[in-house]
Amino acid sequence: DTAVSQTPKYLVTQMGNDKSIKCEQNLGHDTMYWYKQDSKKFLKIMFSYNNKELIINETVPNRFSPKSPDKAHLNLHINSLELGDSAVYFCASSQGNWWTQAQLNTEAFFGQGTRLTVV
Amino acid sequence: GNSVTQMEGPVTLSEEAFLTINCTYTATGYPSLFWYVQYPGEGLQLLLKATKADDKGSNKGFEATYRKETTSFHLEKGSVQVSDSAVYFCAREADSGGGADGLTFGKGTHLIIQP
């Protein structure tokens, strides 16, 4: 039973198109994330959602719009795709909660990644 | 700002060699620290973690000790195998400690083990 699953695994599309990547976690976690991994393997957080509420938006172009219909899902929609958007996008979740400063289990569980190629 | 610095790769070793991958971090507090591993074509998996100073995380023969004096969390393994070939990421949690701020990752170290 996959803990964090994202689809599709591969996505090849033309510049200017709009595409979505879906993510679901069955761990009962409160927080979900999207990370971007570039061609040099560098990982950077894009968004963080806690119980469907946006917590972090790290200087990501507004062509990227996350949507969280419930706390188990965090989808990523990208408008007007550009060549520079080509990367591997990882969804992740953790028990981390914005509202408490207690020592929580903040390790993140990652999906398998979606390799997006814009041509 | 908060950052994680790890040694540049690729690191190429022979099977059964001793491995050290250095990692240092900046922080105003004592964040939890992690090592993640990414095997070819796969997502990231947690390898080990340490949540407070002097803690030692260990898993699959890998170890790392949380050293607040040197703000380091170096990854070690006594005898590497070909199957350990992967990219290794050092990471720290945000200073808020709440978890919702996500993790800050180092740039990754590509480890290649030759038979």
Short mmCIF file of all heavy atoms in Angstrom, two decimals, chain B residues 44-69:
data_model
loop_
_atom_site.label_atom_id
_atom_site.label_comp_id
_atom_site.label_asym_id
_atom_site.label_seq_id
_atom_site.Cartn_x
_atom_site.Cartn_y
_atom_site.Cartn_z
N LEU B 44 12.61 9.98 -2.87
CA LEU B 44 13.48 10.04 -1.71
C LEU B 44 12.96 9.14 -0.61
O LEU B 44 11.76 9.09 -0.34
CB LEU B 44 13.57 11.47 -1.17
CG LEU B 44 14.55 12.38 -1.88
CD1 LEU B 44 13.96 12.88 -3.17
CD2 LEU B 44 14.94 13.53 -0.99
N GLN B 45 13.89 8.47 0.06
CA GLN B 45 13.53 7.64 1.21
C GLN B 45 14.34 8.13 2.40
O GLN B 45 15.52 8.43 2.27
CB GLN B 45 13.90 6.18 0.96
CG GLN B 45 13.29 5.55 -0.27
CD GLN B 45 13.84 4.17 -0.53
OE1 GLN B 45 14.28 3.48 0.39
NE2 GLN B 45 13.85 3.75 -1.78
N LEU B 46 13.70 8.18 3.54
CA LEU B 46 14.42 8.54 4.74
C LEU B 46 15.41 7.43 5.08
O LEU B 46 15.04 6.26 5.18
CB LEU B 46 13.46 8.75 5.91
CG LEU B 46 14.11 9.10 7.24
CD1 LEU B 46 14.73 10.49 7.17
CD2 LEU B 46 13.09 9.04 8.37
N LEU B 47 16.66 7.80 5.27
CA LEU B 47 17.68 6.82 5.63
C LEU B 47 17.86 6.79 7.16
O LEU B 47 17.85 5.73 7.77
CB LEU B 47 19.01 7.18 4.96
CG LEU B 47 20.20 6.26 5.21
CD1 LEU B 47 19.90 4.84 4.76
CD2 LEU B 47 21.45 6.79 4.51
N LEU B 48 18.03 7.96 7.75
CA LEU B 48 18.14 8.04 9.20
C LEU B 48 17.89 9.48 9.65
O LEU B 48 17.87 10.39 8.83
CB LEU B 48 19.52 7.56 9.69
CG LEU B 48 20.75 8.17 9.06
CD1 LEU B 48 21.15 9.48 9.73
CD2 LEU B 48 21.94 7.20 9.13
N LYS B 49 17.71 9.64 10.95
CA LYS B 49 17.46 10.98 11.46
C LYS B 49 17.98 11.10 12.89
O LYS B 49 18.25 10.09 13.56
CB LYS B 49 15.97 11.30 11.44
CG LYS B 49 15.15 10.45 12.40
CD LYS B 49 13.69 10.85 12.35
CE LYS B 49 12.90 10.03 13.36
NZ LYS B 49 11.44 10.37 13.36
N ALA B 50 18.11 12.34 13.34
CA ALA B 50 18.46 12.63 14.73
C ALA B 50 17.71 13.88 15.14
O ALA B 50 17.67 14.86 14.39
CB ALA B 50 19.97 12.83 14.90
N THR B 51 17.09 13.85 16.30
CA THR B 51 16.22 14.95 16.69
C THR B 51 16.83 15.88 17.71
O THR B 51 16.27 16.95 17.98
CB THR B 51 14.88 14.42 17.21
OG1 THR B 51 15.15 13.56 18.32
CG2 THR B 51 14.13 13.66 16.15
N LYS B 52 17.95 15.50 18.33
CA LYS B 52 18.57 16.41 19.28
C LYS B 52 20.08 16.16 19.32
O LYS B 52 20.57 15.15 18.85
CB LYS B 52 17.96 16.27 20.67
CG LYS B 52 18.07 14.90 21.29
CD LYS B 52 17.35 14.89 22.63
CE LYS B 52 17.58 13.60 23.39
NZ LYS B 52 16.98 12.44 22.73
N ALA B 53 20.75 17.12 19.93
CA ALA B 53 22.22 17.09 19.98
C ALA B 53 22.71 15.78 20.61
O ALA B 53 22.13 15.28 21.57
CB ALA B 53 22.73 18.29 20.77
N ASP B 54 23.77 15.25 20.01
CA ASP B 54 24.46 14.02 20.43
C ASP B 54 23.70 12.75 20.07
O ASP B 54 24.20 11.65 20.32
CB ASP B 54 24.77 14.02 21.93
CG ASP B 54 25.67 15.18 22.31
OD1 ASP B 54 26.55 15.53 21.50
OD2 ASP B 54 25.49 15.75 23.40
N ASP B 55 22.50 12.89 19.52
CA ASP B 55 21.78 11.71 19.03
C ASP B 55 22.55 11.09 17.89
O ASP B 55 23.14 11.80 17.07
CB ASP B 55 20.40 12.12 18.50
CG ASP B 55 19.31 11.92 19.53
OD1 ASP B 55 19.62 11.52 20.66
OD2 ASP B 55 18.14 12.14 19.18
N LYS B 56 22.48 9.78 17.80
CA LYS B 56 23.05 9.09 16.64
C LYS B 56 21.92 8.39 15.91
O LYS B 56 21.20 7.58 16.49
CB LYS B 56 24.11 8.06 17.07
CG LYS B 56 24.70 7.28 15.89
CD LYS B 56 25.62 6.16 16.35
CE LYS B 56 26.97 6.68 16.74
NZ LYS B 56 27.94 5.59 17.02
N GLY B 57 21.77 8.71 14.62
CA GLY B 57 20.82 7.99 13.79
C GLY B 57 21.55 6.86 13.08
O GLY B 57 22.71 7.00 12.70
N SER B 58 20.87 5.73 12.90
CA SER B 58 21.52 4.62 12.21
C SER B 58 20.48 3.79 11.48
O SER B 58 19.34 3.64 11.92
CB SER B 58 22.31 3.74 13.18
OG SER B 58 21.45 3.21 14.16
N ASN B 59 20.90 3.23 10.35
CA ASN B 59 20.02 2.39 9.55
C ASN B 59 20.85 1.76 8.44
O ASN B 59 21.66 2.44 7.80
CB ASN B 59 18.88 3.23 8.95
CG ASN B 59 17.87 2.40 8.21
OD1 ASN B 59 17.68 1.22 8.49
ND2 ASN B 59 17.20 3.00 7.25
N LYS B 60 20.65 0.48 8.18
CA LYS B 60 21.29 -0.24 7.08
C LYS B 60 22.81 -0.09 7.10
O LYS B 60 23.44 -0.05 6.04
CB LYS B 60 20.77 0.26 5.73
CG LYS B 60 19.27 0.09 5.53
CD LYS B 60 18.84 0.58 4.15
CE LYS B 60 17.35 0.43 3.96
NZ LYS B 60 16.91 0.92 2.65
N GLY B 61 23.41 0.02 8.28
CA GLY B 61 24.85 0.15 8.39
C GLY B 61 25.35 1.57 8.30
O GLY B 61 26.53 1.84 8.53
N PHE B 62 24.47 2.51 7.97
CA PHE B 62 24.82 3.93 7.94
C PHE B 62 24.61 4.55 9.33
O PHE B 62 23.71 4.16 10.05
CB PHE B 62 23.96 4.69 6.93
CG PHE B 62 24.24 4.35 5.49
CD1 PHE B 62 23.57 3.31 4.87
CD2 PHE B 62 25.16 5.08 4.77
CE1 PHE B 62 23.81 3.00 3.54
CE2 PHE B 62 25.41 4.78 3.43
CZ PHE B 62 24.74 3.73 2.83
N GLU B 63 25.46 5.52 9.64
CA GLU B 63 25.33 6.24 10.92
C GLU B 63 25.61 7.71 10.70
O GLU B 63 26.38 8.08 9.81
CB GLU B 63 26.36 5.73 11.94
CG GLU B 63 26.13 4.33 12.44
CD GLU B 63 27.15 3.96 13.49
OE1 GLU B 63 28.20 4.63 13.58
OE2 GLU B 63 26.90 3.00 14.24
N ALA B 64 24.99 8.53 11.55
CA ALA B 64 25.31 9.96 11.57
C ALA B 64 25.03 10.46 12.97
O ALA B 64 24.01 10.11 13.56
CB ALA B 64 24.49 10.73 10.53
N THR B 65 25.92 11.30 13.50
CA THR B 65 25.78 11.84 14.85
C THR B 65 25.56 13.33 14.79
O THR B 65 26.28 14.05 14.10
CB THR B 65 27.01 11.52 15.70
OG1 THR B 65 27.20 10.10 15.74
CG2 THR B 65 26.86 12.06 17.11
N TYR B 66 24.57 13.80 15.51
CA TYR B 66 24.20 15.21 15.59
C TYR B 66 25.22 15.93 16.47
O TYR B 66 25.24 15.76 17.68
CB TYR B 66 22.81 15.29 16.21
CG TYR B 66 22.08 16.61 16.15
CD1 TYR B 66 20.72 16.62 15.89
CD2 TYR B 66 22.70 17.83 16.40
CE1 TYR B 66 19.99 17.80 15.86
CE2 TYR B 66 22.01 19.01 16.37
CZ TYR B 66 20.64 18.99 16.11
OH TYR B 66 19.94 20.16 16.09
N ARG B 67 26.07 16.74 15.87
CA ARG B 67 27.12 17.44 16.61
C ARG B 67 26.84 18.94 16.61
O ARG B 67 27.06 19.63 15.62
CB ARG B 67 28.48 17.20 15.94
CG ARG B 67 28.83 15.73 15.78
CD ARG B 67 29.88 15.32 16.78
NE ARG B 67 30.33 13.95 16.52
CZ ARG B 67 30.32 13.01 17.45
NH1 ARG B 67 29.89 13.26 18.68
NH2 ARG B 67 30.75 11.80 17.16
N LYS B 68 26.33 19.43 17.75
CA LYS B 68 25.97 20.84 17.79
C LYS B 68 27.21 21.73 17.85
O LYS B 68 27.18 22.87 17.39
CB LYS B 68 25.04 21.14 18.98
CG LYS B 68 25.67 20.96 20.33
CD LYS B 68 24.69 21.37 21.43
CE LYS B 68 25.36 21.22 22.79
NZ LYS B 68 24.48 21.61 23.91
N GLU B 69 28.31 21.22 18.40
CA GLU B 69 29.52 22.04 18.52
C GLU B 69 30.07 22.41 17.15
O GLU B 69 30.58 23.51 16.95
CB GLU B 69 30.61 21.29 19.30
CG GLU B 69 30.20 20.86 20.70
CD GLU B 69 29.48 19.52 20.69
OE1 GLU B 69 29.35 18.90 19.60
OE2 GLU B 69 29.03 19.09 21.76
#
